Amino acid sequence: MDVLSLENWQIFPEGRPVLVAGPCSAESEAQVMRTAAELKKCGVGVFRAGIWKPRTHPGTFEGVGTPGLAWLRKAGRELGLKVCTEVACREHVEACLEYGIDMVWTGARTTSSPFMVQEIADALSGSGIPVLVKNPVSPDIELWTGAIERFVRAGIRKLGIVHRGFSASEKTRYRNSPEWRIVIEMRSRFPELPFLCDPSHIAGDRKYVAEIAQRALDLGLDGLMIESHCEPSCALSDAAQQLAPDELAALIGRLVVREADSDSSDYRTAIDSLRARIDAIDGEILAALAARMEVSRQIGECKKKSNIAILQTSRWDAVLEKVISEGREYGLPEHFVSVVFNAIHDASVQAQNDILSGSL
Ligand code: PEP
Ligand code: MN
């Protein structure tokens, strides 16, 4: 994949994690200049502010539009900051290029629309400015992947990924569910792309931002995009999740940055031996699963001979209850045991189905 590493973007100061910070929305020139100046003092090098806001409900603050780009440009020039904003269509891209905006991102709602992503990719093509692709609203890894592919095909070489959480039907304590498994899968699909986390939109509440930011760094992500406003309680959008610049500085100071790897011989010896044990245990798990599956097939044959239906729910409920309770004695979380055994059960039912329908 023909993309440039973060060091070659000429956007971020040296060092990891990289940081993008600024208000959810640009609201006035004074708010932009004051927030940017305070963030600059905290060591922030890349300033964000939404100019066009895709709001869920009409009649709420939808951004100041193009005039806000002049405030961003002014903040960038006067304070020596790089500036970035969200784009959702060709006109937004063209306006950003005209005002010399240094970087853009696509928001979750826009990434969800292949037509809009294609339009933005075409408009950015050849401009040389970096684009960050936030995840789509739904936990659809193919839709997220497709958006990345569209930018790659348009020849965008400064391309990054941002995780901002997914909409979930079940209400959790976070505004958007983090789904770290999808993040890990995306990382392995695109190992050469810088990967940031936006803990503000995952959290929805400033009290959760730090724990999510730390989690992202623990997973080895490259940086953070965090919302910060000079007066969060007065913010016109996302007031509950924005941090005052001094709160942001304190949060950054407390984050523990872990090394991606280490050459220390103590660490290598310890980790190599633990990994060898994990590999051996994984082998045992697979052998046990294969043995269990074989018994399950024999049960299928037995049911077939006696013309018995595959699914006996009461039997399965009893098995599940037993393994969950035994698992608890081993200190295994109920949810984990339940997910694993339901997956095993699904595969067994499938195998027995194949036997009954004669396809094996
Ligand atoms: C934002 O960054 O302010 C924003 C609207 O982001 P998202 O698309 O992640 O909701
Ligand atoms: Mn926001």
Side-chain angles (χ1 to χ4, degrees), residues 24-206:
C24 179
S25 304
E27 299 167 1
S28 67
E29 181 172 333
Q31 171 251 8
V32 166
M33 294 308 291
R34 192 177 141 205
T35 309
E38 289 180 21
L39 287 171
K40 169 82 186 182
K41 266 200 231 135
C42 301
V44 170
V46 182
F47 181 73
R48 64 150 278 160
I51 298 289
W52 302 279
K53 302 300 299 179
R55 304 304 301 281
T56 304
H57 296 285
T60 46
F61 176 65
E62 293 193 317
V64 294
T66 311
L69 292 174
W71 310 336
L72 281 186
R73 181 171 62 188
K74 183 172 175 200
R77 285 187 182 160
E78 291 188 5
L79 298 162
L81 288 163
K82 299 288 185 187
V83 294
C84 60
T85 195
E86 174 174 336
V87 290
C89 62
R90 167 181 299 280
E91 289 72 28
H92 295 170
V93 173
E94 288 168 355
C96 286
L97 295 176
E98 191 186 323
Y99 280 82
I101 300 304
D102 301 292
M103 178 167 77
V104 295
W105 75 85
T106 61
R109 295 157 192 81
T110 306
T111 309
S112 305
S113 162
F115 286 135
M116 298 322 290
V117 170
Q118 190 61 53
E119 181 176 310
I120 293 166
D122 292 342
L124 280 170
S125 181
S127 70
I129 71 166
V131 57
L132 303 176
V133 183
K134 285 195 172 190
N135 61 261
V137 174
S138 56
D140 182 342
I141 194 167
E142 297 307 331
L143 197 55
W144 200 1
T145 298
I148 302 287
E149 289 166 349
R150 287 178 196 277
F151 286 108
V152 171
R153 285 185 183 210
I156 308 295
R157 297 178 68 217
K158 296 179 183 171
L159 184 59
I161 308 181
V162 181
H163 171 226
R164 51 75 80 194
F166 300 92
S167 280
S169 53
E170 279 168 40
K171 194 78 205 103
T172 67
R173 64 198 188 122
Y174 297 148
R175 176 181 178 190
N176 289 295
S177 169
E179 307 282 355
W180 298 107
R181 269 178 312 110
I182 296 184
V183 172
I184 293 164
E185 170 66 22
M186 271 308 267
R187 190 115 240 224
S188 65
R189 285 189 185 191
F190 299 106
E192 57 279 83
L193 295 186
F195 210 131
L196 277 65
C197 177
D198 168 350
S200 305
H201 287 90
I202 295 176
D205 184 320
R206 66 181 64 79

